[in-house]
């Protein structure tokens, strides 16, 4: 249960409280079987002070006198999906079955960004995976200190306000959370050791929806960004790390602290290696429409249940008897058992070459900017005005790889592309800040500071502190100064991670 002081919210006037149940944290919120293998319905009565609103991951709710809210979830869900938030929260309709919820100072921006968008995604998802069973799909924009991108609580996804970029350039992030409505929330991993059943299938579903909405080239580009993150993660941990298996052994130790904490299974492997395994299953089938039909049958077969990978793979082989006959589960090098139980790089990678038409110009442009003498004619001939977020992200990743650039190049790049250097899009801001730090561009250090003051998402905050701490004396001073100013508005876990980076004492 997270209690935020007013300064940790967007409005800075009233306190705020929210719960974050995944993986095994709801046991501190209410008595429960805190395992995803058990599903139940629930109801709740929540009384809050005047001037506050309570919202929950429930199918129906009503407000009674004395500021008391009654919630009911009529579908069985695992305990980790029960969620509550209380604060100065208001709502706006953005579709026939969707509202956005946020603090009053964010509600206009939220409505503008998501009006009509969610329904478009839901319609495509229903066409692919079958009916949406949860009734409403609302989004709650959390205070800036919320440490995650999104949490797929049914009926009410909790998301970071970083998604409010002002130009709808990050709305596709919500496709991932929408996909969880089928994979994770409806069909759930029975143990956290097989977290890939939630996340690998959700990544696959997200990219199927994205392909229908945005086309194959763009989806391949986004998947290439995901693959690069997996490579980075495996390089950092070592491919043979036991957490780089799809089936992680979560040993309960003699005490809680001696075992593997299910929270530790949260990394790129279940997402991206899981995505590769589901893509491999689709590749074995060899026909997209047949595999789409299988996914619908899979959801229908196991809806409202918690299952293991063995259940999933047995069902796959029964659904495609001709593949079972061929023994596809034991093709040398691609055995299902190897996928599940061997750590390391995925044995099969889906073909992302359709994304190359968008990658090639970004690669070429990065090359031009890394040259000792800039060929401004060639640079000006490349028009990036129509590039979408992941094409720009890909370009900036390449510039970062080539950094530090020759003297003066980053300053010119900054002036040339205000769309990047002055972006309100958090994915672009993160990478621009990393480039500024890698190139010691002190003139723009204020952008790093402003970005860290504006949000507390773990995925953005930690890489920037790593970069500052690994940089010059000026960058290290900036890290210390920024952290002492922003620490009170950060989630306690994020505070502790930053303290470790900066060599500060972490309270026991």
């Amino acid at each position: 249960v997270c209690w935020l002081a007013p300064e940790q919210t967007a409005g800075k006037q009233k306190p705020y409280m929210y719960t974050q149940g995944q993986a095994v944290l709801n046991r501190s919120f209410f008595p429960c079987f805190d395992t995803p293998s058990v599903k139940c319905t629930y109801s709740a009565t929540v009384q809050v002070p005047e001037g506050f609103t309570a919202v929950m991951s429930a199918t129906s709710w009503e407000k009674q006198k004395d500021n008391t809210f009654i919630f009911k979830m009529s579908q069985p869900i695992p305990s980790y999906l029960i969620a509550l938030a209380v604060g100065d929260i208001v709502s706006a309709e953005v579709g026939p079955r969707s509202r956005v919820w946020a603090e009053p100072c964010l509600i206009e921006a939220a409505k503008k960004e998501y009006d009509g968008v969610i329904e478009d995604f839901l319609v495509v998802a229903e066409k692919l995976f079958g009916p949406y069973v949860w009734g409403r799909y609302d989004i709650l924009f959390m205070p800036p200190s919320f440490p995650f991108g999104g949490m797929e609580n049914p009926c009410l996804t909790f998301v970071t306000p970083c998604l409010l970029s002002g130009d709808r350039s990050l709305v596709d992030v919500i496709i991932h959370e929408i996909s969880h409505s089928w994979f994770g929330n409806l069909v759930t991993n029975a143990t956290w050791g097989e977290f890939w059943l939630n996340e690998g299938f959700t990544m696959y579903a997200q990219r199927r929806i994205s392909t229908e909405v945005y086309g194959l080239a763009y989806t391949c580009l986004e998947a290439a960004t995901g693959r690069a993150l997996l490579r980075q993660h495996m390089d950092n941990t070592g491919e043979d790390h036991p957490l780089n298996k799809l089936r992680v052994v979560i040993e309960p130790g003699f005490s809680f602290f001696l075992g593997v904490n299910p929270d530790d299974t949260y990394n790129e492997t279940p997402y991206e290696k899981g995505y590769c395994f589901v893509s491999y299953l689709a590749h074995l089938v060899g026909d997209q429409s047949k595999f789409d039909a299988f996914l619908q049958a899979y959801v229908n077969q196991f809806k409202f249940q918690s299952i293991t990978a063995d259940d999933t793979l047995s069902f796959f082989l029964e659904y495609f008897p001709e593949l079972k006959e061929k023994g596809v589960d034991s093709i040398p090098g691609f055995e299902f058992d190897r996928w599940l139980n061997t750590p390391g790089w995925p044995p099969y990678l889906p073909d992302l070459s359709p994304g190359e038409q968008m990658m090639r110009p970004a690669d070429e442009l990065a090359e031009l900017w890394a040259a000792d003498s800039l060929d401004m004619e060639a640079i000006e001939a490349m028009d990036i005005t129509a590039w979408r977020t992941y094409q720009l992200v890909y370009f900036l990743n390449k510039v970062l790889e080539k950094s530090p650039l020759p003297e003066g190049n980053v300053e010119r790049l900054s002036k040339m592309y205000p769309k990047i250097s002055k972006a309100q899009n958090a994915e672009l801001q993160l990478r621009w800040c990393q480039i500024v730090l890698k190139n010691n561009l002190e003139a723009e250090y204020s952008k790093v500071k402003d970005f860290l003051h504006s949000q507390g998402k773990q995925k953005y905050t930690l890489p920037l502190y790593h970069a500052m701490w690994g940089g010059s004396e000026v960058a290290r001073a900036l890290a210390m100064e920024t952290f002492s100013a922003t620490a009170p508005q950060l989630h306690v876990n994020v505070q502790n991670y930053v303290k470790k980076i900066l060599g500060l004492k972490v309270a026991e």
Side-chain angles (χ1 to χ4, degrees):
V1 178
C2 303
W3 304 89
L4 305 185
E7 64 262 29
Q8 289 173 293
T9 68
K12 309 219 180 295
Q13 301 299 311
K14 293 182 179 176
Y16 197 104
M17 168 269 188
Y18 69 91
T19 66
Q20 167 57 35
Q22 195 173 1
V24 288
L25 302 173
N26 266 349
R27 58 188 72 186
S28 69
F29 168 32
F30 62 96
C32 58
F33 295 106
D34 205 0
T35 160
S37 62
V38 175
K39 291 188 171 184
C40 63
T41 57
Y42 81 88
S43 61
T45 306
V46 184
Q47 187 178 16
V48 299
E50 209 46 59
F52 288 85
T53 298
V55 292
M56 286 192 84
S57 53
T59 38
S60 78
W61 59 285
E62 54 170 302
K63 185 179 174 183
Q64 297 185 336
K65 58 181 191 318
D66 303 337
N67 230 26
T68 299
F69 295 81
I70 309 281
F71 300 97
K72 284 191 179 68
M73 169 49 89
S74 54
Q75 318 275 30
I77 59 172
S79 57
Y80 75 89
L81 290 175
I82 298 176
L84 165 70
V86 179
D88 185 6
I89 308 171
V90 292
S91 70
E93 298 286 334
V94 292
R97 46 187 160 170
S98 300
R99 291 186 199 100
V100 286
W101 294 86
E103 293 180 61
C105 60
L106 291 178
I107 196 70
E108 271 315 302
K111 181 173 167 50
K112 209 169 111 202
E113 199 93 358
Y114 282 87
D115 211 359
V117 172
I118 297 171
E119 188 59 24
D120 291 350
F121 294 154
L122 282 172
V123 167
V124 175
E126 287 190 300
K127 194 179 84 190
L128 288 169
F129 314 122
Y132 177 76
V133 302
W134 307 99
R136 297 199 63 81
Y137 187 90
D138 289 5
I139 303 180
L140 172 63
F141 286 90
M142 301 297 283
S145 56
F146 186 60
F148 307 105
M151 179 61 218
E152 66 274 10
N153 303 312
C155 311
L156 183 68
T157 287
F158 288 16
V159 295
T160 171
C162 294
L163 296 189
L164 300 174
S165 56
D167 58 2
R168 298 197 162 182
S169 55
L170 287 178
V171 292
D172 48 356
V173 173
I174 212 69
I175 301 177
H176 181 85
E177 308 308 333
I178 285 173
S179 302
H180 271 305
S181 306
W182 288 266
F183 305 98
N185 295 6
L186 196 51
V187 181
T188 308
N189 48 227
T191 76
W192 292 118
E194 296 189 326
F195 186 40
W196 77 274
L197 286 175
N198 280 14
E199 295 300 347
F201 275 89
T202 294
M203 291 305 295
Y204 187 86
Q206 169 197 323
R207 289 172 180 154
R208 274 298 290 122
I209 296 169
S210 173
T211 301
E212 297 289 311
V213 177
Y214 299 118
L216 186 58
Y218 184 70
T219 303
C220 287
L221 183 65
E222 185 274 325
T225 308
R227 188 179 295 177
L229 288 172
L230 179 65
R231 184 68 271 166
Q232 215 177 327
H233 161 72
M234 289 212 175
D235 289 345
N236 289 342
T237 55
E239 283 199 16
D240 294 340
H241 195 288
L243 289 179
N244 290 333
K245 295 189 291 196
L246 289 182
R247 184 183 275 151
V248 177
V249 181
I250 297 184
E251 293 284 4
F254 292 111
S255 80
F256 182 66
F257 298 103
L258 294 175
V260 171
N261 182 341
D263 273 346
D264 295 341
T265 62
Y266 174 77
N267 61 51
E268 301 298 336
T269 297
Y271 289 77
E272 294 295 343
K273 188 176 181 177
Y275 164 70
C276 289
F277 190 19
V278 180
S279 301
Y280 176 64
L281 298 177
H283 162 75
L284 290 173
V285 174
D287 176 321
Q288 187 66 60
S289 58
K290 279 188 182 161
F291 192 70
D292 288 348
F294 159 74
L295 288 176
Q296 282 214 27
Y298 168 72
V299 168
N300 204 34
Q301 174 76 16
F302 295 115
K303 60 179 186 250
F304 302 117
Q305 296 177 49
S306 302
I307 63 169
T308 64
D310 293 340
D311 298 325
T312 300
L313 297 170
S314 304
F315 182 72
F316 174 78
L317 293 170
E318 276 153 33
Y319 189 88
F320 295 109
E322 68 284 8
L323 293 180
K324 187 177 186 173
E325 207 146 294
K326 271 168 60 188
V328 294
D329 55 339
S330 50
I331 298 169
F334 300 94
E335 301 89 343
F336 288 0
D337 183 75
R338 176 181 168 172
W339 273 102
L340 294 175
N341 297 312
T342 309
W345 196 243
Y348 167 88
L349 295 170
D351 173 23
L352 303 181
S353 58
E356 273 168 20
Q357 65 191 66
M358 295 175 110
M359 290 178 210
R360 207 171 303 111
D363 276 321
E364 285 165 14
L365 188 57
E367 280 294 333
L368 288 168
W369 279 106
D372 283 327
S373 58
L374 293 176
D375 179 349
M376 288 316 288
E377 203 176 323
I379 286 172
E380 280 161 11
M382 294 192 79
D383 179 18
I384 69 162
T385 47
W387 285 14
R388 305 234 351 249
T389 300
Y390 281 103
Q391 201 168 6
L392 292 166
V393 161
Y394 183 85
F395 165 66
L396 291 177
N397 283 345
K398 291 294 167 196
V399 170
L400 186 60
E401 278 170 28
K402 298 173 193 302
S403 291
L405 301 186
E407 194 67 37
N409 287 17
V410 178
E411 287 89 331
R412 293 191 70 176
L413 193 151
S414 175
K415 282 198 184 72
M416 175 112 184
Y417 306 132
K419 175 180 179 174
I420 290 172
S421 60
K422 293 190 166 70
Q424 288 306 298
N425 175 316
E427 292 290 326
L428 300 180
Q429 282 177 292
L430 166 68
R431 287 165 177 85
W432 183 247
C433 288
Q434 288 175 302
I435 289 167
V436 162
L437 290 165
K438 191 93 180 270
N439 289 278
N440 289 326
L441 186 58
E442 290 180 22
E444 297 204 15
Y445 275 8
S446 60
K447 286 185 177 154
V448 178
K449 188 167 125 182
D450 292 346
F451 185 51
L452 288 170
H453 273 264
S454 72
Q455 57 76 40
K457 187 178 166 185
Q458 188 172 308
K459 192 177 145 192
Y460 298 153
T461 302
L462 303 187
L464 291 179
Y465 278 103
H466 275 298
M468 286 188 280
W469 204 242
S472 64
E473 281 307 308
V474 183
R476 287 184 140 206
L478 178 70
M480 282 302 201
E481 178 207 333
T482 307
F483 182 59
S484 64
T486 58
Q489 68 194 45
L490 294 174
H491 186 277
V492 63
N493 288 1
V494 180
Q495 279 182 33
N496 287 335
Y497 289 135
V498 175
K499 281 179 182 170
K500 278 187 185 148
I501 294 168
L502 305 183
L504 301 171
K505 199 168 153 45
V506 177
E508 285 304 321

